[in-house]
Amino acid sequence: MAKGDYNFIDINTGDEILFSRTGIEDFQMYWKVIGFHEEMIHVEIDEMGNKDKLYIDTNRT
């Protein structure tokens, strides 16, 4: 596991995580974990003019 990588079981509701999305510029902001659905992590961000909620599919490579 590379530095900064997480296992799904290591992440809890309320944690703040960094991740990258293909095709999206990395803002280096922490996303707050607000829940889980199957093997997806539900996150939100609301800072520096950015407001978004989305699911991260942990099965995607």
Side-chain angles (χ1 to χ4, degrees):
M1 185 163 56
K3 182 179 179 182
D5 286 351
Y6 302 93
N7 285 321
F8 184 76
I9 60 172
D10 295 330
I11 301 171
N12 300 297
T13 300
D15 287 350
E16 293 183 331
I17 60 174
L18 286 172
F19 71 96
S20 61
R21 294 187 281 177
T22 302
I24 304 295
E25 206 172 303
D26 184 6
F27 295 111
Q28 291 297 312
M29 287 187 256
Y30 286 93
W31 292 69
K32 185 175 183 178
V33 177
I34 58 174
F36 299 89
H37 178 70
E38 296 177 1
E39 296 212 13
M40 294 186 291
I41 303 169
H42 195 196
V43 295
E44 72 175 351
I45 191 166
D46 188 2
E47 71 177 77
M48 297 178 60
N50 296 292
K51 187 169 186 164
D52 198 3
K53 289 184 182 179
L54 58 101
Y55 285 92
I56 302 169
D57 185 349
T58 61
N59 287 319
R60 293 179 67 184
T61 57

